[in-house]
Amino acid sequence: MAIPTDRPSKPLSSIQKTCRILASMTDPRHVRLTDIAESAGLDVSTTLRILKELEHQSFVERDPVSKQYVLGPQVYAMHHAMVAGLDLRAEARPSLIRLSRKFGDTAILSMPAGWESVCIDLCFGDYPIRANYLHVGSRRPLGVGAGSLALLVAMKNSEQQAVLPLIHARMAKRYPLYSQAYLDEQLQRARACGYSMLLDVVIQKMGGLGIPVKGPDGQPIAALSIAALSERISSRERELAEALKEEVHAIERAWLP
């Protein structure tokens, strides 16, 4: 973040100086005292005094060996509080509209809920054959459907291991064609590709492609996906993946610095 370095005619207040220092530290290159002071447009002694107080209040941390400064837990707590106040559905709605208009198929926003995925919003395209088996409030085990598979892939390994037994038990009853071995295969493929794609699994001749939306901590908080006829997914796989990645980045910018 660029910080004005020209000295204003009116002296800066303590709060303004503190804000300049914190803003300069959002750039990972500014970790040394001299770098932070130069970026903030302040002298070194003033910067050091403020950094010491910020460290005391847990807004900044200093490595005793390297003597480098990083943002502290209080900043991240404030960031999480800000993200928690965002309306994810409202943030993602423009992306759903753009995707459905561009490709003519159903764009879906889903969220994790324990070992399940819940559809919280969708937007239909103008192609006559739609994925009309989904509606807002629909629930599926994680891994069943492109969006829910994207959520499962992005989870921590410890969380995956906790939910997989529940998922396997549910799949054996409701999705007999979707074996445990096939799920493992799709998880590996999704990790390698950076997106999930399922064809003819939930509904014959229907498929989908999905990408997770990650929160500030890097963990999945939602998934954006497109559902359509399998042939419409496979024939445009790369194009769909790139468009979904762009829209996911657009959503995540709401909470990125």
Side-chain angles (χ1 to χ4, degrees):
M1 181 175 182
I3 307 300
T5 55
D6 54 316
R7 305 282 181 173
S9 56
K10 183 179 179 180
L12 293 172
S13 68
S14 297
I15 293 177
Q16 288 174 315
K17 293 175 183 177
T18 302
C19 289
R20 282 192 171 202
I21 289 172
L22 289 172
S24 72
M25 292 181 68
T26 62
D27 188 329
R29 296 172 299 177
H30 302 153
V31 293
R32 298 184 305 167
L33 173 61
T34 53
D35 295 332
I36 296 170
E38 181 180 359
S39 175
L42 303 172
D43 60 71
V44 172
S45 60
T46 299
T47 303
L48 178 60
R49 174 176 56 79
I50 294 174
L51 282 172
K52 285 183 177 179
E53 184 59 32
L54 288 171
E55 183 181 6
H56 180 68
Q57 300 295 331
S58 298
F59 282 89
V60 163
E61 291 182 339
R62 178 177 180 271
D63 188 300
V65 178
S66 67
K67 298 182 181 180
Q68 294 182 343
Y69 291 88
V70 295
L71 295 172
Q74 287 284 21
V75 173
Y76 291 101
M78 293 170 66
H79 195 185
H80 278 278
M82 181 272 290
V83 173
L86 290 175
D87 183 346
L88 181 59
R89 187 174 176 180
E91 295 291 341
R93 187 64 184 172
S95 294
L96 296 178
I97 295 172
R98 285 191 293 264
L99 288 168
S100 63
R101 286 181 176 176
K102 181 175 182 178
F103 295 104
D105 296 302
T106 305
I108 304 162
L109 179 69
S110 50
M111 292 182 66
W115 56 276
E116 292 181 310
S117 168
V118 182
C119 173
I120 63 170
D121 200 5
L122 51 79
C123 188
F124 292 113
D126 57 7
Y127 192 74
I129 301 177
R130 298 176 174 179
N132 55 7
Y133 47 86
L134 273 177
H135 59 270
V136 174
S138 295
R139 288 176 175 263
R140 287 179 177 170
L142 288 171
V144 178
S148 65
L149 179 61
L151 290 171
L152 182 60
V153 171
M155 291 172 65
K156 293 179 180 178
N157 184 63
S158 57
E159 294 179 353
Q160 280 189 11
Q161 298 309 311
V163 300
L164 278 173
L166 297 170
I167 294 171
H168 292 152
R170 185 64 177 271
M171 286 170 55
K173 296 179 180 179
R174 293 193 58 186
Y175 308 97
L177 298 179
Y178 199 177
S179 66
Q180 182 175 335
Y182 185 74
L183 174 59
D184 292 340
E185 179 184 325
Q186 294 307 310
L187 285 170
Q188 292 179 10
R189 183 185 186 280
R191 291 191 189 100
C193 295
Y195 58 85
S196 62
M197 187 174 75
L198 288 177
L199 305 174
D200 307 317
V201 173
V202 181
I203 302 291
Q204 286 297 308
K205 297 185 179 181
M206 299 297 292
L209 195 148
I211 293 181
V213 179
K214 297 182 179 181
D217 58 357
Q219 296 307 302
I221 59 173
L224 204 59
S225 60
I226 292 179
L229 288 171
S230 293
E231 61 187 30
R232 288 175 62 80
I233 297 293
S234 58
S235 64
R236 301 177 296 173
E237 178 180 349
R238 182 169 296 182
E239 185 182 359
L240 289 169
E242 290 302 317
L244 281 168
K245 287 178 182 178
E246 289 180 8
E247 294 298 344
V248 164
H249 291 158
I251 296 169
E252 292 176 344
R253 276 197 291 269
W255 51 84
L256 291 175

